[in-house]
Amino acid sequence: MKRNERAARTGSFLKAAAILAAGLFSGNAAAGFYNDGKVLLTGGVATIDGAGGGGITPWAVINGYGTRDGINGSLHYTYAYLPNYSLNSYGASVGLYDRLELSFTRSTLPTGSTFDTVGLIAGILPGVVGDTGIEPFNTTIEMDVFGAKLRLFGDAVYTSDSLIPQVSIGGFYKDNKNKDLLTTLQAAKRKDWEAYVSVTKVYFPFSTLVNLTGRYTSANQTGLTGFGYKDRTNGGSGKKDDKKEMRLEVSIATLVAKNTAFGAEYAQHGTSLDNVGVNLNGIGTGQLVGAITDALGPVTDVAGVSLDHLDDTLTQHEDDWYDLFFAYAPNKRISFVVAYAMLGNITLTPDQHGFYLSTHLTF
Amino acid sequence: MNRKSVTATLLAAALLSGVAMQSAFAAEEKTNPIPGIPSNSLEMWGGKDGVHEWAVALFHYIMLDTRINFLFKEFGNPERQIFLNTQLETMVLGGPNEYQGASMTAAHADLNINMEQFNAVVEAAYNACERINLHYWACNQVIAALAPFTDDIVTR
Ligand code: HEM
């Protein structure tokens, strides 16, 4: 206790002054706004929407390595290789004072063979269907995503003796560029906002991070095929449903080393376009199949698809998304994610399961 | 002296001696991470000896880190801190409370420690776990058990 008291008796004022001086002359204090003081992987990686989180679900953490004393930025590139699509998402984000996160991401989605059938049909019936936004091959969807996230309260990492998680709210504004295609797919809107609330907590005794997100949205396939549903056949006066709904998303990540995590994610998706056909210039799937059968006469298949199944082929479906991921951050400058994404039916094509690679640069 | 003036005298003494009094009375208690850490945590750490090896490694890494070493050079005392950290971490990992040092609040009150510096010590803690070949999951038990001190230590 004697030494203890001696230490404690050190004059607080002198001590504080000395610390201030030491701080001023150390390189760290001079760095200003910049900060990369978070512990490895605690800022999450980049989701395809550009927000900090897992692969598809935003977490309550503020992206990058900035603590509450500074600013940190990041860049990301994500590539998902699915049987009929490849998603490229690239963007930038900035984390401000571990409070606010701003992000921008552009997604480009070459659709491979998915819409080739539709494109081919449009080619067969040019005078009838007009511009569908779909080519016979390589139709591409582009979408810009602007995001903001605000940490409300809590600390996902260090409040281990409390049940209170870190809680953030956020929003995206998504601007899908392929208007003609979305008309063909009968989405109600091509631009829309989404809002979400995320709660995140790390359980060190289990070396595991748990995140729950509620996303208020009307997105079809995250907005890549627009928002909501609007019947555009027969003059477009039919049913419309672009109401937003709350959808659940979950991420669980287990750390196996301070720089390595693996886990799983789930994101509930909507059903606005589930079982909805395509619309070609006001002509619905049923009428269309009839017109094609007439136009083609003796021909019984188009692009390998039997005309008997054309009706199914031209009907859209949407499933909830799942993924299994592995994240590795060798240092605070770069991290890599390898995932297996199970996205089910995407518009016209079933079984869209494939690999996902993402890299996240932080500076 | 009547009862009232005894109380007043004690109070004045407490105020005068400040941190010293506080540390004499407020030595640390076990923390309560949720869910609790496994009951064999200290065993996984190799008991108090294992914790001591880790504390030695911890200070090795702390003293190499320019984000924080200046604070320890100026105000720390590695020998004393290794000794006290061994007691503290042994306790929070499930051992007996033999901690003889100051409370975390008192020990760090004047140091003006920020989040980045705290995280730097956490990084040193992980490096120390690796240095003594402790499994990452066992290492996280000490992080879970020390995390509740964050707000006592980070004052900026
Ligand atoms: C969970 C994290 C931490 C724990 C468990 C911890 C533990 C301790 C202990 C047991 C002492 C000895 C108290 C005494 O002398 O009676 C101490 C003192 C000290 N700590 Fe920490 N500490 C932590 C974080 C930090 C951080 C982040 C810094 C600075 C970057 C720091 C700097 C110091 C210094 C300079 C002293 C000596 C103070 C003095 O003797 O006046 N500590 N700490």
Side-chain angles (χ1 to χ4, degrees):
Chain A
M1 248 349 112
K2 228 173 168 184
R3 294 170 83 182
N4 189 16
E5 279 164 17
R6 197 172 56 223
R9 247 181 269 123
T10 318
S12 313
F13 177 76
L14 279 179
K15 206 166 178 180
I19 290 166
L20 192 67
L24 283 176
F25 292 106
S26 86
N28 297 300
F33 300 124
Y34 174 78
N35 189 289
D36 66 351
K38 267 190 205 159
V39 177
L40 214 52
L41 283 175
T42 56
V45 291
T47 61
I48 52 169
D49 284 330
I56 55 179
T57 298
W59 296 349
V61 300
I62 299 298
N63 205 206
Y65 285 107
T67 68
R68 60 194 183 202
D69 302 313
I71 296 173
N72 199 249
S74 40
L75 295 173
H76 80 96
Y77 172 67
T78 297
Y79 176 68
Y81 185 70
L82 304 167
N84 292 79
Y85 304 87
S86 51
L87 173 69
N88 298 267
S89 155
Y90 48 93
S93 77
V94 56
L96 299 123
Y97 302 97
D98 204 25
R99 176 63 65 189
L100 181 67
E101 173 190 300
L102 300 171
S103 60
F104 171 74
T105 282
R106 171 162 294 171
S107 295
T108 50
L109 185 85
T111 64
S113 60
T114 299
F115 295 114
D116 291 2
T117 314
V118 183
L120 217 56
I121 291 164
I124 294 167
L125 306 166
V128 185
V129 301
D131 195 348
T132 57
I134 300 177
E135 311 299 327
F137 48 83
N138 284 352
T139 300
T140 295
I141 298 171
E142 262 197 11
M143 181 166 76
D144 286 347
V145 183
F146 301 86
K149 185 199 292 175
L150 181 70
R151 182 171 70 81
L152 294 183
F153 59 85
D155 175 350
V157 182
Y158 288 131
T159 48
S160 69
D161 58 348
S162 146
L163 284 174
I164 299 171
Q166 180 161 330
V167 179
S168 294
I169 50 169
F172 296 113
Y173 181 73
K174 298 182 171 180
D175 179 359
N176 192 316
K177 309 288 183 191
N178 198 332
K179 185 170 183 236
D180 292 333
L181 174 64
L182 299 187
T183 305
T184 301
L185 299 178
Q186 311 200 70
K189 292 180 184 168
R190 78 177 174 86
K191 301 179 184 183
D192 205 358
W193 56 269
E194 305 184 307
Y196 63 88
V197 52
S198 289
V199 300
T200 308
K201 195 159 178 69
V202 174
Y203 292 96
F204 280 112
F206 300 138
S207 303
T208 295
L209 175 147
V210 179
N211 174 80
L212 296 178
T213 296
R215 196 192 291 239
Y216 187 65
T217 179
S218 65
N220 310 317
Q221 314 287 2
T222 74
L224 290 166
T225 58
F227 302 85
Y229 162 60
K230 184 169 189 242
D231 184 355
R232 294 176 192 275
T233 59
N234 301 318
S237 55
K239 199 175 155 247
K240 179 173 172 179
D241 175 14
D242 62 354
K243 278 204 203 71
K244 293 185 173 61
E245 59 182 5
M246 202 54 137
R247 298 180 193 157
L248 177 72
E249 303 183 7
V250 182
S251 299
I252 295 181
T254 292
L255 288 138
V256 290
K258 66 184 182 189
N259 55 13
T260 312
F262 69 88
E265 287 185 296
Y266 163 78
Q268 187 182 14
H269 271 214
T271 52
S272 300
L273 292 184
D274 204 29
N275 285 317
V276 169
V278 295
N279 146 66
L280 302 179
N281 203 20
I283 304 173
T285 302
Q287 281 169 282
L288 193 69
V289 173
I292 293 164
T293 316
D294 290 349
L296 294 178
V299 180
T300 56
D301 70 84
V302 173
V305 178
S306 159
L307 288 182
D308 294 343
H309 300 301
L310 199 54
D311 207 344
D312 288 346
T313 306
L314 296 180
T315 300
Q316 305 176 61
H317 295 286
E318 179 155 7
D319 288 315
D320 295 347
W321 285 12
Y322 298 85
D323 71 69
L324 298 171
F325 67 85
F326 172 86
Y328 174 61
N331 57 52
K332 285 189 192 175
R333 300 284 86 78
I334 192 163
S335 69
F336 303 96
V337 177
V338 178
Y340 188 69
M342 291 159 279
L343 312 185
N345 278 284
I346 294 198
T347 66
L348 306 178
T349 42
D351 302 324
Q352 297 303 304
H353 308 315
F355 283 95
Y356 163 117
L357 294 166
S358 180
T359 176
H360 187 219
L361 296 161
T362 14
F363 50 87
Chain B
M1 248 198 288
N2 64 24
R3 216 151 139 218
K4 221 172 174 181
S5 65
V6 172
T7 318
T9 315
L10 276 178
L11 204 70
L15 283 172
L16 278 174
S17 52
V19 186
M21 278 299 276
Q22 205 182 336
S23 65
F25 288 121
E28 284 302 345
E29 301 284 319
K30 275 193 171 83
T31 52
N32 297 301
I34 304 170
I37 61 170
S39 55
N40 65 342
S41 295
L42 188 57
E43 198 184 316
M44 287 192 289
W45 272 67
K48 193 174 179 179
D49 288 347
V51 176
H52 179 257
E53 301 306 333
W54 172 82
V56 171
L58 173 70
F59 274 82
H60 169 74
Y61 288 108
I62 285 177
M63 298 317 281
L64 292 173
D65 189 335
T66 53
R67 293 172 299 176
I68 47 176
N69 60 3
F70 66 96
L71 276 173
F72 289 85
K73 283 179 189 159
E74 192 82 31
F75 308 106
N77 175 344
E79 202 189 321
R80 174 186 165 85
Q81 284 180 267
I82 289 168
F83 177 77
L84 288 171
N85 271 289
T86 303
Q87 289 180 336
L88 184 77
E89 273 78 281
T90 300
M91 167 179 72
V92 297
L93 284 169
N97 186 349
E98 292 167 353
Y99 181 61
Q100 295 173 310
S103 72
M104 289 300 100
T105 310
H108 303 94
D110 300 332
L111 296 171
N112 205 20
I113 293 169
N114 66 24
M115 211 57 226
E116 177 171 15
Q117 292 165 335
F118 184 84
N119 289 337
V121 169
V122 171
E123 286 169 11
Y126 280 118
N127 287 336
C129 288
E130 286 171 10
R131 187 71 187 79
I132 65 162
N133 297 313
L134 189 69
H135 194 287
Y136 173 73
W137 288 336
C139 190
N140 271 343
Q141 307 312 330
V142 94
I143 304 294
L146 291 177
F149 293 130
T150 311
D151 288 342
D152 296 342
I153 293 166
V154 181
T155 53
R156 188 139 59 104

